Amino acid sequence: MKKFYLLLFGLTQTFAYSQTQNLASLATGENIGMNALFDTKDNLYGYVSMYSLGKTDKKSQKFEYVILDKNLNPVANKEFEAGLLVSNYFGYVDFKGQIILRPSDFNYLQAFSKDAALPVSMVIDPKTNTVKPKVYYDYLENGTFVEINQPKSFKEERKENRAEKKDKGYNYVSSVGEIKEGGFIAVEYNDYGRYVNKNSLIKFDDNKKEIWRYNYNTNGDKKVFSDLTILDKDEKSLYGILRKVNDDDKSFSLLVIDMKTGKEISNKPLNGLSAETIDYIDELYSNGRRMSNDKTFDDRIVLLGRNYISKKVTGFSRLMLDKTSYNVDLRELNYKPDLVNHIPKLSADGGVENGYYLQTKDVYFLSDGSVGILSEKFKPEGNYSAPKTTDLVYINTDKDFKVKDVQVFEKEKTRWANNDYLFSQYLNNGKDVVFFFRDYQKDQVTKEKKWNLFINTVINGKFNQEVIPISEKDNYVVTPYVAKEGYILLRELNEKEKFNQVRLERLNY
């Protein structure tokens, strides 16, 4: 195991940074993955590279992490043990600046078939380079906190839930977490199976003493109930959408709760869009994957969802909340008539041509209030045909959610895969954006097909594109990763030669 004694990211700026790094030489184990780390403001923090060191006994195995800064300097590493259910970890940075390694790949079927518990996350303190299992908290019906170092097994959890349901007629459910504003927030409710009631949102101080409690859905049943979707919170307020359901009738309001007292500051009705649109405005899916569809600014919160008319998807909806006045601006942008003049053969439900339709791939919320929506032409799998994707379509809106222009990026047809779009990054303090996709194209000279990387910037509303060849060469697989602003990270892998290099390349814009 190699040692890295430089632990503080800030100190690395005094050294000449390395633009290349061989991941295979950083640890003795097998490299099983790497992912970028972002802070709570979506700024690149660095990278975590994970290594498997194999089993230590019949019940445990050993891993090693290596933390790299955004210039690819290795700054910390350590080995730790885990159970055999875990295959890999995904890293992220929490509001405390700790690096959390969340189990990202483990065997659910094996966990349920044996007397096993859900694997826990690991917590890295970058200042001391220490790693330990994450401590969880449980809030009990009698009003007490319990510290959990090891979750109950699935088998034990099911047994207790069945016994409680038989005794009380319901299961008491709670979830509690530490928050950046200080203290803890918990949610609780009684679960009867087909409905829930007695919902509470509870705030605690750092000593786990209850400060306030907000109750709702007190007498909810199968037909008449209410629920709360939390959108965001800060030191001043907590913002959410309160939904009230009475059989087939639904009403919505934007609820603002004082974080210090738990009192309602504002409770304004949400009108202007269909009930189904507001109901699902906090959810946006693409190819079965839930997308990040919101962004919080100092003065506002913005969400983008689908727009529904008569339960059919007709385009997009935008919710913008003013955090000072608590006013909500709801807008819609439909395929017809808003986009039909920009995209040939576009139908009212997002269909384009030959059975393809627009599948949303990413959303960009820029600091001037405009929104960028990136879609891809997608054709689902048929009885005798493969799923396919072709061109990417960028919809550029203004601050009022009106279409400014639409850019179509022509792309070769891809079969059996839906992964040509790669990732994106904000530029210039959130004013602009760059997004990346790949395409398998025929070389005009050699006539051979090769992978090309397309780097697309939208700066001051203007598009620019750069193309970089990234095709496999001499058994080296090239994979692009997100990097610090103005750069891209390219990973070259050759497992046979145990070569695993990452390098930074500067973008031209």
Side-chain angles (χ1 to χ4, degrees), residues 191-205:
D191 184 357
Y192 290 84
R194 298 184 65 183
Y195 65 94
V196 303
N197 61 27
K198 289 186 168 54
N199 296 64
S200 296
L201 185 67
I202 315 166
K203 172 75 186 306
F204 303 89
D205 63 16

Side-chain angles (χ1 to χ4, degrees), residues 1 18 89 96-97 100 129 186 188 192 199 225 228 251 254 263 304 310 326 328 338 347 387 407 409 420 428 470:
M1 180 182 70
S18 170
Y89 288 87
K96 291 182 175 181
I100 311 299
N129 193 31
E188 67 171 5
Y192 290 84
N199 296 64
F225 62 90
L228 177 63
S251 62
L254 195 289
K263 304 294 184 182
L304 184 118
S310 300
Y326 311 124
V328 177
D338 301 312
S347 64
Q407 182 80 21
F409 299 90
D420 287 344
N428 304 318
I470 57 166

Side-chain angles (χ1 to χ4, degrees), residues 369-427:
S370 62
V371 178
I373 305 170
L374 184 67
S375 298
E376 187 174 33
K377 296 179 181 179
F378 171 74
K379 187 173 184 178
E381 180 179 356
N383 291 332
Y384 304 100
S385 61
K388 308 174 187 69
T389 61
T390 58
D391 305 339
L392 286 165
V393 179
Y394 188 97
I395 303 167
N396 195 18
T397 77
D398 61 17
K399 61 182 180 60
D400 296 318
F401 206 47
K402 301 292 185 181
V403 179
K404 288 198 297 185
D405 56 75
V406 175
Q407 182 80 21
V408 177
F409 299 90
E410 294 184 356
K411 188 167 60 66
E412 293 294 320
K413 185 182 298 182
T414 300
R415 293 178 172 85
W416 294 113
N418 197 351
N419 56 3
D420 287 344
Y421 174 68
L422 300 172
F423 47 80
S424 65
Q425 188 176 30
Y426 289 106
L427 302 174

Side-chain angles (χ1 to χ4, degrees), residues 10-74:
L11 293 179
T12 64
Q13 303 306 313
T14 63
F15 294 79
Y17 68 82
S18 170
Q19 288 191 315
T20 62
Q21 192 62 254
N22 187 1
L23 298 180
S25 67
L26 296 180
T28 56
E30 175 191 359
N31 181 253
I32 54 176
M34 182 188 79
N35 74 265
L37 300 170
F38 296 89
D39 63 20
T40 54
K41 294 184 178 180
D42 292 330
N43 298 314
L44 184 71
Y45 179 93
Y47 302 89
V48 57
S49 184
M50 294 300 306
Y51 300 83
S52 172
L53 280 69
K55 293 183 179 180
T56 56
D57 54 42
K58 293 183 178 180
K59 293 185 177 181
S60 62
Q61 60 181 319
K62 187 173 287 188
F63 293 91
E64 183 176 357
Y65 65 81
V66 176
I67 307 298
L68 298 95
D69 68 9
K70 58 187 177 181
N71 294 319
L72 302 186
N73 295 305

Side-chain angles (χ1 to χ4, degrees), residues 349-365:
D349 61 357
V352 277
E353 69 276 337
N354 301 322
Y356 286 81
Y357 71 92
L358 294 182
Q359 180 186 73
T360 307
K361 303 299 291 186
D362 211 342
V363 182
Y364 316 115
F365 301 97

Side-chain angles (χ1 to χ4, degrees), residues 210-369:
E210 183 176 321
I211 299 175
W212 54 258
R213 178 182 294 253
Y214 182 84
N215 299 315
Y216 60 99
N217 191 40
T218 305
N219 299 307
D221 57 34
K222 287 182 288 186
K223 292 188 175 182
V224 181
F225 62 90
S226 60
D227 51 34
L228 177 63
T229 299
I230 297 176
L231 301 179
D232 200 11
K233 56 181 174 53
D234 53 37
E235 293 183 355
K236 179 184 176 183
S237 306
L238 182 144
Y239 312 89
I241 296 177
L242 183 64
R243 180 180 69 156
K244 294 184 178 181
V245 179
N246 188 340
D247 206 355
D248 292 332
D249 295 327
K250 298 178 182 179
S251 62
F252 304 85
S253 61
L254 195 289
L255 177 66
V256 184
I257 298 174
D258 190 299
M259 280 290 284
K260 292 183 178 179
T261 66
K263 304 294 184 182
E264 286 189 10
I265 301 175
S266 180
N267 194 342
K268 296 181 179 180
L270 291 176
N271 298 310
L273 296 177
S274 69
E276 192 168 12
T277 297
I278 302 175
D279 206 359
Y280 297 105
I281 201 165
D282 66 311
E283 299 178 4
L284 188 63
Y285 287 86
S286 176
N287 195 34
R289 176 183 62 88
R290 187 163 184 170
M291 299 171 55
S292 175
N293 68 324
D294 67 298
K295 189 172 178 63
T296 299
F297 298 86
D298 291 338
D299 61 342
R300 65 191 186 278
I301 301 169
V302 189
L303 284 85
L304 184 118
R306 305 285 185 195
N307 194 52
Y308 294 87
I309 298 178
S310 300
K311 297 184 178 181
K312 294 182 179 179
V313 176
T314 61
F316 302 95
S317 59
R318 190 204 68 179
L319 181 153
M320 182 180 291
L321 165 65
D322 187 308
K323 294 171 68 175
T324 301
S325 65
Y326 311 124
N327 291 329
V328 177
D329 184 28
L330 290 168
R331 302 286 176 107
E332 59 182 328
L333 189 160
N334 291 309
Y335 298 123
K336 281 190 172 182
D338 301 312
L339 288 167
V340 69
N341 292 330
H342 300 274
I343 304 173
K345 302 180 181 180
L346 182 65
S347 64
D349 61 357
V352 277
E353 69 276 337
N354 301 322
Y356 286 81
Y357 71 92
L358 294 182
Q359 180 186 73
T360 307
K361 303 299 291 186
D362 211 342
V363 182
Y364 316 115
F365 301 97
L366 303 181
S367 59
D368 64 357

Side-chain angles (χ1 to χ4, degrees), residues 434-483:
V434 55
F435 61 92
F436 304 80
F437 69 87
R438 63 176 190 166
D439 193 17
Y440 197 50
Q441 298 181 320
K442 181 180 290 187
D443 188 281
Q444 297 300 317
V445 178
T446 65
K447 305 302 180 182
E448 295 180 358
K449 277 201 165 186
K450 295 183 178 180
W451 284 105
N452 287 324
L453 173 68
F454 288 76
I455 303 168
N456 313 275
T457 55
V458 186
I459 298 178
N460 295 323
K462 296 182 179 180
F463 292 89
N464 188 50
Q465 188 177 84
E466 181 184 3
V467 183
I468 297 177
I470 57 166
S471 202
E472 296 182 15
K473 183 179 180 181
D474 299 327
N475 295 320
Y476 285 79
V477 179
V478 181
T479 305
Y481 283 77
V482 67

Side-chain angles (χ1 to χ4, degrees), residues 135-149:
V135 175
Y136 299 85
Y137 296 96
D138 196 6
Y139 181 70
L140 305 182
E141 195 170 6
N142 61 11
T144 59
F145 269 84
V146 175
E147 187 175 295
I148 302 173
N149 294 301

